[in-house]
Amino acid sequence: MAQGDHRVRPPRPRPPDAARRGTPRRTAVAAWIGSALEYYDFFIYGTAAALVFGKVFFPTEHAATGTLLAIATFGVGYAARPLGAVVLGHVGDRFGRKRVLVFTLLLMGATTFLVGCLPSYESIGVAAPVLLVTLRLLQGLSAAGEQASANSMSLEHAPAHRRAFFTSWTLSGTQAGQLIATAAFLPVAALPEEDLLSWGWRVPFWASVVMVVVGYVIRRRIEETPVFEDEARAGNTVKLPLAVLMRDHWADVLRVVCAALIASVSTIFTVYALTYAVNTVGLERTPMLWVGVAANLLAVALIPMWGGAADRFGRKPVFLFGSLGCGVLIFPYLWAISVGNWALIFGLGIVLFGLVYQAANATWPSFYGEMFTARVRLSGMAIGTQIGFAISGFLPTVAVALEGADKGAWVRVAVFTAVMCLVNAVAVFTARETFKVPTEELGVKGAPVRAAAGAAD
């Protein structure tokens, strides 16, 4: 056991009504809806960056340069995530998971609405892209605490033998948000170019106001987790979670950073492939958007099933299937785009992102959270994932730079993505298997592995 874990006081008895609060199902549903709303806001930016922002905010003589700059602003949102992870991770471990959930939703909603209100470069000059980058940074700060807090809430409410299933609903919500974001752009993408660039692209951003109101009402009703309340009553919360995390769990933080590079598959599929297909190969944007819709429809349905598989067979085998499978499938998918074969683009896109990638995507919320004790769980998940996600967020920019104007340069991008998958696989392989570790012993060094209780939920 790490030194910091020797000095905790035993929890005091929980009040009688605590057992009735925050059932796993209700918490999972609330996490699903909140994550869907939050990531709708986050991903409509990526779609707009790929299709519109290069012309609206970065007009240049060379269209490829404008696209590169617009995609770079997508990555800026990821660059802000490590700082947000430190700040919001501290708040979540010190004062509770629920506070972070409500704050992140409101911040994301406000910044997304304001993006839709921004004047173009043509109207106010360089101030337009500066304001765009500023709002994107705030989006990144919000997203930094969103998944870690939602995953911690779900994991700590879940029965020990079904932790992967219940935490996977957060990621199912994330994919639903991505699906809604892509679908929201389908009608505006079909508008005439002049209408799309003047007002059409703004509508999905403005629509987020309604969604944020719904999400706020839902999240206000979520109860704090019994695990955190026990820690707080016993006086086991720490004043500086980051210091305890780096002292006792630094190796697991590093492992999560490397494992989180699996998100590169998502950013390459969502942003780079769309940019490559439309701007380099010259394919129609609407069918490419439908590829994302079809893949995400399957993903939303399959993620809880993959979570159930991780509860039955273990985190590592399911995660590794997703990681290594993506590293292989990225090659034929990008090749299919390069030759403009729509049947293969749809088929391979659905298999790659809708089926195989979701095996890893469904597993990481429980797997990462189970590496840490409750005292530093939110900080550990947030900091580890957000550093890895920050790297992944800039990969579409790197990919566009690697590609240039050469249709055949997709091979370099595919190799680059496959290397990220391999790094992820090594990190996952070297981690401890946790699916049989009781919840109260998660993150405790040297704790024996025994079957988690299969009590009914």
Side-chain angles (χ1 to χ4, degrees), residues 11 41 46 58 74 89 100 115 140 148 157 175 182 198 303 346 361 363 375-376 403 418 435 444 451:
D41 289 351
F58 303 97
F74 178 79
V100 177
V115 169
H157 274 298
Q175 297 309 129
T182 305
S198 61
I303 285 176
F346 269 87
N361 208 28
T363 307
R375 304 171 77 209
V376 295
E403 172 207 320
F435 80 113
V444 178

Side-chain angles (χ1 to χ4, degrees), residues 179-268:
L179 169 63
I180 298 168
T182 305
F185 260 90
L186 283 170
V188 298
L191 291 170
E193 186 84 355
E194 183 179 352
D195 292 338
L196 172 64
L197 297 180
S198 61
W199 60 268
W201 68 269
R202 301 176 186 274
V203 175
F205 288 86
W206 291 336
S208 67
V209 171
V210 177
M211 304 181 74
V212 168
V213 171
V214 174
Y216 177 77
V217 171
I218 292 169
R219 288 199 163 178
R220 287 286 295 174
R221 297 176 180 176
I222 301 176
E223 297 291 346
E224 188 56 77
T225 69
V227 173
F228 178 82
E229 289 181 335
D230 286 348
E231 292 287 330
R233 278 194 303 273
N236 289 339
T237 56
V238 290
K239 292 183 178 179
L240 293 174
L242 180 61
V244 176
L245 180 71
M246 292 296 103
R247 183 190 67 201
D248 298 339
H249 297 279
W250 65 267
D252 287 320
V253 173
L254 181 60
R255 183 173 285 112
V256 172
V257 170
C258 294
L261 293 177
I262 191 61
S264 61
V265 176
S266 177
T267 56
I268 291 295

Side-chain angles (χ1 to χ4, degrees), residues 61 68 98 120 176-177 186 282-283 292 321 347 447:
E61 294 181 2
L68 179 61
K98 180 178 176 178
S120 66
L186 283 170
L283 300 180
F321 168 78

Side-chain angles (χ1 to χ4, degrees), residues 33-410:
I33 295 173
S35 294
L37 299 174
E38 177 97 355
Y39 276 82
Y40 164 82
D41 289 351
F42 196 76
F43 279 115
I44 56 173
Y45 189 103
T47 306
L51 298 179
V52 176
F53 284 172
K55 298 173 183 177
V56 175
F57 294 105
F58 303 97
T60 68
E61 294 181 2
H62 303 286
T65 302
T67 299
L68 179 61
L69 291 171
I71 295 299
T73 67
F74 178 79
V76 164
Y78 286 88
R81 285 182 166 209
L83 174 60
V86 172
V87 174
L88 296 176
H90 174 89
V91 173
D93 284 328
R94 184 82 174 87
F95 303 106
R97 289 44 167 139
K98 180 178 176 178
R99 294 190 184 189
V100 177
L101 280 177
V102 174
F103 172 77
T104 56
L105 184 70
L106 295 177
L107 179 60
M108 181 67 81
T111 53
T112 301
F113 177 79
L114 290 174
V115 169
C117 297
L118 285 179
S120 66
Y121 183 92
E122 208 173 86
S123 300
I124 62 171
V126 72
V130 169
L131 290 171
L132 180 69
V133 170
T134 301
L135 292 174
R136 183 59 177 173
L137 286 168
L138 292 174
Q139 279 193 327
L141 289 172
S142 171
E146 162 62 29
Q147 282 184 331
S149 54
N151 290 335
S152 295
M153 288 282 286
S154 299
L155 186 149
E156 291 171 2
H157 274 298
H161 67 297
R162 301 193 72 191
R163 291 190 302 252
F165 172 77
F166 281 108
T167 55
S168 72
W169 282 87
T170 301
L171 269 293
S172 179
T174 298
Q175 297 309 129
Q178 186 171 339
L179 169 63
I180 298 168
T182 305
F185 260 90
L186 283 170
V188 298
L191 291 170
E193 186 84 355
E194 183 179 352
D195 292 338
L196 172 64
L197 297 180
S198 61
W199 60 268
W201 68 269
R202 301 176 186 274
V203 175
F205 288 86
W206 291 336
S208 67
V209 171
V210 177
M211 304 181 74
V212 168
V213 171
V214 174
Y216 177 77
V217 171
I218 292 169
R219 288 199 163 178
R220 287 286 295 174
R221 297 176 180 176
I222 301 176
E223 297 291 346
E224 188 56 77
T225 69
V227 173
F228 178 82
E229 289 181 335
D230 286 348
E231 292 287 330
R233 278 194 303 273
N236 289 339
T237 56
V238 290
K239 292 183 178 179
L240 293 174
L242 180 61
V244 176
L245 180 71
M246 292 296 103
R247 183 190 67 201
D248 298 339
H249 297 279
W250 65 267
D252 287 320
V253 173
L254 181 60
R255 183 173 285 112
V256 172
V257 170
C258 294
L261 293 177
I262 191 61
S264 61
V265 176
S266 177
T267 56
I268 291 295
F269 178 88
T270 304
V271 181
Y272 167 76
L274 180 60
T275 303
Y276 174 61
V278 174
N279 298 326
T280 302
V281 180
L283 300 180
E284 291 293 322
R285 56 178 175 252
T286 299
M288 280 302 301
L289 289 172
W290 274 110
V291 175
V293 170
N296 275 297
L297 276 172
L298 182 62
V300 170
L302 288 185
I303 285 176
M305 296 176 63
W306 281 122
D311 280 327
R312 182 172 183 179
F313 302 110
R315 315 305 191 225
K316 293 169 67 171
V318 177
F319 206 138
L320 289 171
F321 168 78
S323 303
L324 298 176
C326 288
V328 172
L329 287 171
I330 192 66
F331 287 90
Y333 178 62
L334 293 182
W335 169 80
I337 293 175
S338 73
V339 298
N341 187 315
W342 282 113
L344 288 177
I345 291 171
F346 269 87
L348 289 168
I350 290 171
V351 172
L352 166 63
F353 195 72
L355 175 64
V356 177
Y357 175 72
Q358 303 311 325
N361 208 28
T363 307
W364 75 253
S366 57
F367 193 40
Y368 299 167
E370 290 168 354
M371 295 182 188
F372 305 101
T373 61
R375 304 171 77 209
V376 295
R377 177 166 293 129
L378 204 154
S379 294
M381 290 185 72
I383 293 171
T385 56
Q386 299 316 314
I387 293 175
F389 291 167
I391 297 170
S392 301
F394 276 103
L395 292 188
T397 310
V398 175
V400 171
L402 285 173
E403 172 207 320
D406 180 8
K407 290 184 181 181
W410 64 266

Side-chain angles (χ1 to χ4, degrees), residues 402-417:
L402 285 173
E403 172 207 320
D406 180 8
K407 290 184 181 181
W410 64 266
V411 176
R412 294 194 291 271
V413 178
V415 169
F416 187 66
T417 308

